[in-house]
Amino acid sequence: MNSHRLCCALWTFYAIILTRCLHGQTEECRTGMYPPNGPTFKGDVPWYTVDLNEPPVKRWNGVVKDKKNELVAVMQAIKELANSLVHSGRLVDLVDNVLPLMLDTLPYPFNEEIRGIAISSGAPVGEVILFNIFYEVFTVCTSVVAEDTSGNLYHGRNLDFGLLMGWNHKNHSWIITDKLKPLAVNVDFKRNNATVFKSTSFAGYVGMLTGIRPKQFTLTMNERFNFDGGYVGIFEWILGKRDGMWMGFLTRTVLENVTSYEDAKTQLALTKLLAPAYFILGGNQTGQGCVITRTRINALDVWEIDLKLGRWYVLETNYDHWEEPFILDDRRTPAMKCMNKTTQAYISFKTMYDVLSTKPVLNKLTTYTTLMEVSSGKLESFLRDCPDPCSPW
Ligand SMILES: *[C@@H]1O[C@H](CO)[C@@H](O)[C@H](O)[C@H]1NC(C)=O
Ligand SMILES: *[C@@H]1O[C@H](CO)[C@@H](O)[C@H](O)[C@H]1NC(C)=O
Ligand SMILES: *[C@@H]1O[C@H](CO)[C@@H](O)[C@H](O)[C@H]1NC(C)=O
Ligand SMILES: *[C@@H]1O[C@H](CO)[C@@H](O)[C@H](O)[C@H]1NC(C)=O
Ligand SMILES: *[C@@H]1O[C@H](CO)[C@@H](O)[C@H](O)[C@H]1NC(C)=O
């Protein structure tokens, strides 16, 4: 990196921090945002079906056929970003030459699905693998599970992605965040013509960040920043130490093959992982909602809804719930303030969407908002925008 580049990078960084200080304060809790409308609603997320009876190498063909151009565009943008950071082209070299060797080390059916996505999009396997690694390490979000007064459980989330990945000075937006929005898809995963689970995802990604097994449970994942973080686990994987599971593969496996809240909780708490994470899980009965705080090895803490203690919801951003959030990134206090103001008697899709639309819970990294109701099996998701004035994260 030469001094001109370094200088530009620093200026950009200062400008973003300044924007955060100016616009990071909480606004009044939003009301009347649902059904989604206005400048923060960018559009509906389209639905697709993935048939689990199809061979893994073929099952994403329908999605990829429609989203090929957008997928190639985002991978191109990621490559350009990598090139601008590491001028020698070494990073791109790694993607083209080293990552493809990883394909055969990934577990079935993920290896086959990624191979299929590369074939049908025409993109190099290394790039598709990179696209799939991303979410293991860069996902900042807000998730909440809440119980209403009749024992009905709601699960909502904002998926915030693209932090520090290229800032567009012209219109104050994150480059990768912008490019990901057109890739957002709702997927109905079917086996023998019946829905097994539904998910909001990004075309080209085979793990899961947001999903519901109708009548059984709902699940979202948030990134947990830690020094023993995602990079370490992924490098270990490349070097041959492969006893941990990829976070996105675990969530996908749980959604696809686990049939109850209790079993999901056990697997999410006990399976060894490549990266630390928060799993936010909702069940189908009163009291079944929790945030599982994970290290790579085990669960540090399981924090549950407890009506007797007045805890009718659990809410997680990207910090351990027993500690204060990072001072420059407190989305938790505003989100909890608005949940408290809503009260248990009035929680619904409508009011949860209001909470998730209040800045800075909604910010310039927010790609989509998903709302799930386990009892009806309903999953709704909406693309988001956050026009100025708005916090960069
Ligand atoms: C910002 O501008 C780019 C093109 O330069 C465009 O692709 C993107 O959608 C814009 N983002 C927003 C949030 O308006
Ligand atoms: C699914 O339903 C379609 C028609 O609705 C039928 O043609 C197909 O054979 C069914 N597939 C399975 C696996 O049951
Ligand atoms: C779920 O279980 C089926 C049957 O054992 C298996 O074929 C499939 O690969 C599993 N899915 C995942 C994502 O592991
Ligand atoms: C809740 O989930 C369990 C385990 O899958 C299931 O046996 C039960 O019928 C479900 N209850 C409701 C009300 O859907
Ligand atoms: C919300 O209410 C809970 C439970 O009464 C309380 O512990 C928490 O401090 C409140 N948070 C905010 C931000 O109002």
Side-chain angles (χ1 to χ4, degrees), residues 75-88:
M75 290 188 297
Q76 184 61 35
I78 292 168
K79 262 189 143 172
E80 278 167 17
L81 205 70
N83 252 333
S84 73
L85 290 175
V86 183
H87 205 37
S88 63

PDB file of all heavy atoms in Angstrom, residues 75-88:
ATOM      1  N   MET A  75     -18.830 -10.666  -6.796  1.00  0.00           N
ATOM      2  CA  MET A  75     -17.515 -11.303  -6.664  1.00  0.00           C
ATOM      3  C   MET A  75     -16.432 -10.438  -7.311  1.00  0.00           C
ATOM      4  O   MET A  75     -15.318 -10.353  -6.805  1.00  0.00           O
ATOM      5  CB  MET A  75     -17.562 -12.720  -7.232  1.00  0.00           C
ATOM      6  CG  MET A  75     -18.418 -13.616  -6.319  1.00  0.00           C
ATOM      7  SD  MET A  75     -18.403 -15.364  -6.696  1.00  0.00           S
ATOM      8  CE  MET A  75     -19.107 -15.392  -8.298  1.00  0.00           C
ATOM      9  N   GLN A  76     -16.781  -9.786  -8.419  1.00  0.00           N
ATOM     10  CA  GLN A  76     -15.866  -8.858  -9.070  1.00  0.00           C
ATOM     11  C   GLN A  76     -15.520  -7.703  -8.116  1.00  0.00           C
ATOM     12  O   GLN A  76     -14.352  -7.323  -7.970  1.00  0.00           O
ATOM     13  CB  GLN A  76     -16.534  -8.312 -10.348  1.00  0.00           C
ATOM     14  CG  GLN A  76     -15.667  -7.397 -11.180  1.00  0.00           C
ATOM     15  CD  GLN A  76     -14.411  -8.103 -11.664  1.00  0.00           C
ATOM     16  OE1 GLN A  76     -14.437  -9.287 -11.960  1.00  0.00           O
ATOM     17  NE2 GLN A  76     -13.298  -7.374 -11.703  1.00  0.00           N
ATOM     18  N   ALA A  77     -16.532  -7.164  -7.441  1.00  0.00           N
ATOM     19  CA  ALA A  77     -16.315  -6.044  -6.521  1.00  0.00           C
ATOM     20  C   ALA A  77     -15.429  -6.473  -5.346  1.00  0.00           C
ATOM     21  O   ALA A  77     -14.559  -5.716  -4.906  1.00  0.00           O
ATOM     22  CB  ALA A  77     -17.656  -5.522  -6.006  1.00  0.00           C
ATOM     23  N   ILE A  78     -15.639  -7.698  -4.873  1.00  0.00           N
ATOM     24  CA  ILE A  78     -14.816  -8.196  -3.767  1.00  0.00           C
ATOM     25  C   ILE A  78     -13.361  -8.323  -4.218  1.00  0.00           C
ATOM     26  O   ILE A  78     -12.431  -7.952  -3.513  1.00  0.00           O
ATOM     27  CB  ILE A  78     -15.351  -9.561  -3.268  1.00  0.00           C
ATOM     28  CG1 ILE A  78     -16.715  -9.365  -2.588  1.00  0.00           C
ATOM     29  CG2 ILE A  78     -14.368 -10.217  -2.321  1.00  0.00           C
ATOM     30  CD1 ILE A  78     -17.472 -10.651  -2.322  1.00  0.00           C
ATOM     31  N   LYS A  79     -13.178  -8.814  -5.435  1.00  0.00           N
ATOM     32  CA  LYS A  79     -11.820  -8.957  -5.980  1.00  0.00           C
ATOM     33  C   LYS A  79     -11.130  -7.600  -6.123  1.00  0.00           C
ATOM     34  O   LYS A  79      -9.964  -7.444  -5.771  1.00  0.00           O
ATOM     35  CB  LYS A  79     -11.881  -9.628  -7.356  1.00  0.00           C
ATOM     36  CG  LYS A  79     -11.593 -11.110  -7.323  1.00  0.00           C
ATOM     37  CD  LYS A  79     -11.468 -11.627  -8.746  1.00  0.00           C
ATOM     38  CE  LYS A  79     -10.393 -12.688  -8.845  1.00  0.00           C
ATOM     39  NZ  LYS A  79     -10.375 -13.353 -10.159  1.00  0.00           N
ATOM     40  N   GLU A  80     -11.863  -6.622  -6.624  1.00  0.00           N
ATOM     41  CA  GLU A  80     -11.285  -5.286  -6.787  1.00  0.00           C
ATOM     42  C   GLU A  80     -10.879  -4.712  -5.443  1.00  0.00           C
ATOM     43  O   GLU A  80      -9.830  -4.090  -5.303  1.00  0.00           O
ATOM     44  CB  GLU A  80     -12.290  -4.349  -7.463  1.00  0.00           C
ATOM     45  CG  GLU A  80     -12.301  -4.524  -8.966  1.00  0.00           C
ATOM     46  CD  GLU A  80     -13.501  -3.840  -9.615  1.00  0.00           C
ATOM     47  OE1 GLU A  80     -14.126  -2.977  -8.967  1.00  0.00           O
ATOM     48  OE2 GLU A  80     -13.810  -4.193 -10.764  1.00  0.00           O
ATOM     49  N   LEU A  81     -11.735  -4.941  -4.461  1.00  0.00           N
ATOM     50  CA  LEU A  81     -11.457  -4.469  -3.113  1.00  0.00           C
ATOM     51  C   LEU A  81     -10.185  -5.122  -2.577  1.00  0.00           C
ATOM     52  O   LEU A  81      -9.308  -4.468  -2.028  1.00  0.00           O
ATOM     53  CB  LEU A  81     -12.650  -4.842  -2.235  1.00  0.00           C
ATOM     54  CG  LEU A  81     -12.875  -4.018  -1.008  1.00  0.00           C
ATOM     55  CD1 LEU A  81     -13.340  -2.634  -1.394  1.00  0.00           C
ATOM     56  CD2 LEU A  81     -13.930  -4.700  -0.146  1.00  0.00           C
ATOM     57  N   ALA A  82     -10.079  -6.429  -2.773  1.00  0.00           N
ATOM     58  CA  ALA A  82      -8.903  -7.165  -2.317  1.00  0.00           C
ATOM     59  C   ALA A  82      -7.655  -6.638  -3.025  1.00  0.00           C
ATOM     60  O   ALA A  82      -6.614  -6.429  -2.404  1.00  0.00           O
ATOM     61  CB  ALA A  82      -9.082  -8.658  -2.581  1.00  0.00           C
ATOM     62  N   ASN A  83      -7.787  -6.368  -4.315  1.00  0.00           N
ATOM     63  CA  ASN A  83      -6.662  -5.853  -5.085  1.00  0.00           C
ATOM     64  C   ASN A  83      -6.206  -4.482  -4.610  1.00  0.00           C
ATOM     65  O   ASN A  83      -5.022  -4.179  -4.598  1.00  0.00           O
ATOM     66  CB  ASN A  83      -7.058  -5.737  -6.558  1.00  0.00           C
ATOM     67  CG  ASN A  83      -6.368  -6.784  -7.383  1.00  0.00           C
ATOM     68  OD1 ASN A  83      -5.281  -7.232  -7.014  1.00  0.00           O
ATOM     69  ND2 ASN A  83      -6.998  -7.183  -8.463  1.00  0.00           N
ATOM     70  N   SER A  84      -7.176  -3.651  -4.199  1.00  0.00           N
ATOM     71  CA  SER A  84      -6.808  -2.307  -3.769  1.00  0.00           C
ATOM     72  C   SER A  84      -6.160  -2.331  -2.386  1.00  0.00           C
ATOM     73  O   SER A  84      -5.412  -1.442  -2.027  1.00  0.00           O
ATOM     74  CB  SER A  84      -8.028  -1.385  -3.788  1.00  0.00           C
ATOM     75  OG  SER A  84      -8.878  -1.712  -2.728  1.00  0.00           O
ATOM     76  N   LEU A  85      -6.442  -3.373  -1.621  1.00  0.00           N
ATOM     77  CA  LEU A  85      -5.827  -3.485  -0.293  1.00  0.00           C
ATOM     78  C   LEU A  85      -4.435  -4.085  -0.387  1.00  0.00           C
ATOM     79  O   LEU A  85      -3.489  -3.602   0.210  1.00  0.00           O
ATOM     80  CB  LEU A  85      -6.689  -4.364   0.621  1.00  0.00           C
ATOM     81  CG  LEU A  85      -8.024  -3.761   1.051  1.00  0.00           C
ATOM     82  CD1 LEU A  85      -8.823  -4.779   1.853  1.00  0.00           C
ATOM     83  CD2 LEU A  85      -7.799  -2.498   1.876  1.00  0.00           C
ATOM     84  N   VAL A  86      -4.334  -5.167  -1.141  1.00  0.00           N
ATOM     85  CA  VAL A  86      -3.047  -5.843  -1.281  1.00  0.00           C
ATOM     86  C   VAL A  86      -2.649  -5.741  -2.745  1.00  0.00           C
ATOM     87  O   VAL A  86      -3.124  -6.488  -3.588  1.00  0.00           O
ATOM     88  CB  VAL A  86      -3.146  -7.313  -0.832  1.00  0.00           C
ATOM     89  CG1 VAL A  86      -1.796  -7.989  -0.911  1.00  0.00           C
ATOM     90  CG2 VAL A  86      -3.706  -7.404   0.564  1.00  0.00           C
ATOM     91  N   HIS A  87      -1.788  -4.731  -3.004  1.00  0.00           N
ATOM     92  CA  HIS A  87      -1.546  -4.313  -4.368  1.00  0.00           C
ATOM     93  C   HIS A  87      -0.890  -5.393  -5.232  1.00  0.00           C
ATOM     94  O   HIS A  87      -1.138  -5.491  -6.419  1.00  0.00           O
ATOM     95  CB  HIS A  87      -0.673  -3.062  -4.355  1.00  0.00           C
ATOM     96  CG  HIS A  87      -0.858  -2.241  -5.578  1.00  0.00           C
ATOM     97  ND1 HIS A  87      -2.076  -2.089  -6.202  1.00  0.00           N
ATOM     98  CD2 HIS A  87       0.024  -1.523  -6.295  1.00  0.00           C
ATOM     99  CE1 HIS A  87      -1.936  -1.320  -7.247  1.00  0.00           C
ATOM    100  NE2 HIS A  87      -0.674  -0.960  -7.336  1.00  0.00           N
ATOM    101  N   SER A  88      -0.107  -6.227  -4.614  1.00  0.00           N
ATOM    102  CA  SER A  88       0.677  -7.192  -5.387  1.00  0.00           C
ATOM    103  C   SER A  88      -0.196  -8.241  -6.084  1.00  0.00           C
ATOM    104  O   SER A  88       0.307  -9.013  -6.889  1.00  0.00           O
ATOM    105  CB  SER A  88       1.639  -7.913  -4.446  1.00  0.00           C
ATOM    106  OG  SER A  88       0.881  -8.632  -3.497  1.00  0.00           O
TER     107      SER A  88
END
